[in-house]
Amino acid sequence: MLLFRRLLTILFGALLIAGLSSATGWATPTEEREVFSPDGTISRVVIPVPDQPPAQRSAVQADVVAIQQTGPSSERFDLVFVGDGYTSSQLGTYQQHAVNRWNEIAQLEPFKSHKNSFNVWAVNVVSQQSGVDNDPRGTYRNTALDMTFWCGGTERLLCVNETKALQYARLAPEADQVIALANTTKYGGAGGQVATSSGGNAKAGQIVMHELGHSIAGLADEYDYPNDRYTGREPREINASTYTSAQMQQYRTKWYQYLGKQSPDGGVVSTYEGAVYHKYGVYRPTENSLMRSLGREFNLIGLDAMVSAIERKAPRDLSDPAQSR
């Protein structure tokens, strides 16, 4: 019955949108989402904007568990996990998935040396059924956050109802970044206001680290697409530029002070053509950092930007040996 109702809803919605589009000339609204592959490559796809209902008038209820609380939220970055497809009897599994994901994040710099700058919360969202939609394809489940694979026609694109996810995340003291975990071992995830990843898949944790580069330090994506030339203005992000190395030195701009230095992601800082989704006419600082491929380190420019952003909100306690290294 649930599957039948969902199929009717999807079919009616599609027919309604199509009818309105043809009658009024309106185009179906779309948005871009980041798509992550198990081999570490990142790309973007255009999908229809999900139909997400507004927040319910009645407040949602769920227990909030502190995975790590090191100080007041006003002086910390608060990461909030919400789960989907975990029944009440599976909350222990959800808790372990959230802990595992945070432990994985905390092994990467600058999170490792700034671990105590973060509060980490897990909101115990309870679903009626276990698992998420389209795992396998054509399977639908009654879950709290409507997470689904095959979002926009891409198998590994794992979408969530962001309205519902944010509503649950607001139960935590504060939410600087919301991470939705799906109760599945299938690889998948997505970028966005709410980052998503498979709770039971180890490789999917890299997606969250990449997204934190965006949300904490405002870093640009450094990957590109073939045969596409950048013709826009100078990017505002610190890790992308239209200037060559010589021009950076001449104008003393962007990462000119880092040129020639060794970078944690390997190699030497310079200007490598290809960034912000364009192959030509725009440069990134290193050959291959976390903002270009998963499973990498932040490059030196991105790392310093992350550290500065973290320390602006959460000043390090140098009396704490764990933070004075």
Side-chain angles (χ1 to χ4, degrees), residues 279-298:
K279 185 73 172 179
Y280 305 105
V282 64
Y283 302 91
R284 62 188 186 276
T286 57
E287 182 63 36
N288 196 8
S289 81
L290 178 58
M291 300 313 293
R292 183 174 174 84
S293 300
L294 301 185
R296 308 287 301 183
E297 300 275 343
F298 286 104

Side-chain angles (χ1 to χ4, degrees), residues 44 219-225 228 230 235 237 239-241 274-279 282-284 291-292:
R44 293 172 75 86
L219 297 178
D221 287 314
E222 296 177 5
Y223 53 91
D224 55 63
Y225 300 129
D228 195 6
Y230 184 82
E237 296 91 349
N239 61 319
S241 180
V276 290
Y277 329 122
H278 295 79
K279 185 73 172 179
V282 64
Y283 302 91
R284 62 188 186 276
M291 300 313 293
R292 183 174 174 84

Side-chain angles (χ1 to χ4, degrees), residues 26-309:
W26 295 346
T28 302
T30 59
E31 63 183 8
E32 286 190 321
R33 289 289 184 92
E34 284 192 295
V35 181
F36 305 88
S37 299
D39 65 1
T41 57
I42 312 172
S43 59
R44 293 172 75 86
V45 296
V46 177
I47 66 171
V49 174
D51 181 19
Q52 299 185 350
Q56 303 170 5
R57 291 179 179 272
S58 58
V60 296
Q61 295 183 347
D63 293 332
V64 178
V65 177
I67 295 175
Q68 171 178 295
Q69 185 176 11
T70 62
S73 292
S74 60
E75 298 177 1
R76 296 292 185 272
F77 268 93
D78 286 60
L79 304 184
V80 180
F81 289 100
V82 293
D84 196 41
Y86 299 90
T87 63
S88 58
S89 65
Q90 294 175 317
L91 288 179
T93 299
Y94 163 63
Q95 290 284 330
Q96 192 59 57
H97 285 171
V99 169
N100 290 347
R101 193 53 36 88
W102 167 240
N103 288 340
E104 182 182 5
I105 293 169
Q107 293 303 308
L108 179 74
E109 290 293 356
F111 309 111
K112 183 176 182 179
S113 57
H114 290 72
K115 184 176 180 179
N116 287 343
S117 298
F118 290 83
N119 290 334
V120 186
W121 312 94
V123 182
N124 287 346
V125 183
V126 176
S127 290
Q128 293 300 310
Q129 292 184 303
S130 176
V132 295
D133 289 351
N134 286 310
D135 180 24
R137 193 174 191 182
T139 303
Y140 299 91
R141 296 177 172 89
N142 183 8
T143 64
L145 305 181
D146 305 327
M147 291 187 79
T148 180
F149 285 97
W150 288 97
C151 184
T154 300
E155 180 177 6
R156 62 186 178 276
L157 187 58
L158 179 60
C159 288
V160 65
N161 185 317
E162 292 190 346
T163 301
K164 294 180 179 180
L166 292 171
Q167 190 176 23
Y168 277 101
R170 293 189 190 104
L171 297 175
E174 194 170 309
D176 292 305
Q177 174 68 57
V178 181
I179 304 159
L181 299 180
N183 186 15
T184 178
T185 58
K186 178 182 175 70
Y187 179 88
Q193 188 176 10
V194 178
T196 71
S197 75
S198 305
N201 186 288
K203 286 187 176 181
Q206 294 288 325
I207 296 169
V208 177
M209 301 179 199
H210 174 91
E211 287 305 309
L212 289 172
H214 292 311
S215 61
I216 291 179
L219 297 178
D221 287 314
E222 296 177 5
Y223 53 91
D224 55 63
Y225 300 129
N227 304 318
D228 195 6
R229 178 168 291 277
Y230 184 82
T231 58
R233 65 180 64 184
E234 172 66 12
R236 68 179 183 277
E237 296 91 349
I238 189 63
N239 61 319
S241 180
T242 59
Y243 296 111
T244 64
S245 296
Q247 290 171 326
M248 286 185 188
Q249 290 178 323
Q250 179 182 357
Y251 300 121
R252 300 175 66 83
T253 189
K254 280 298 172 75
W255 57 86
Y256 78 97
Q257 293 176 306
Y258 294 85
L259 293 171
K261 293 185 177 181
Q262 292 289 327
S263 183
D265 59 323
V268 175
V269 175
S270 183
T271 47
Y272 298 78
E273 196 167 21
V276 290
Y277 329 122
H278 295 79
K279 185 73 172 179
Y280 305 105
V282 64
Y283 302 91
R284 62 188 186 276
T286 57
E287 182 63 36
N288 196 8
S289 81
L290 178 58
M291 300 313 293
R292 183 174 174 84
S293 300
L294 301 185
R296 308 287 301 183
E297 300 275 343
F298 286 104
N299 61 37
L300 193 56
I301 288 78
L303 180 62
D304 282 359
M306 290 285 287
V307 169
S308 295

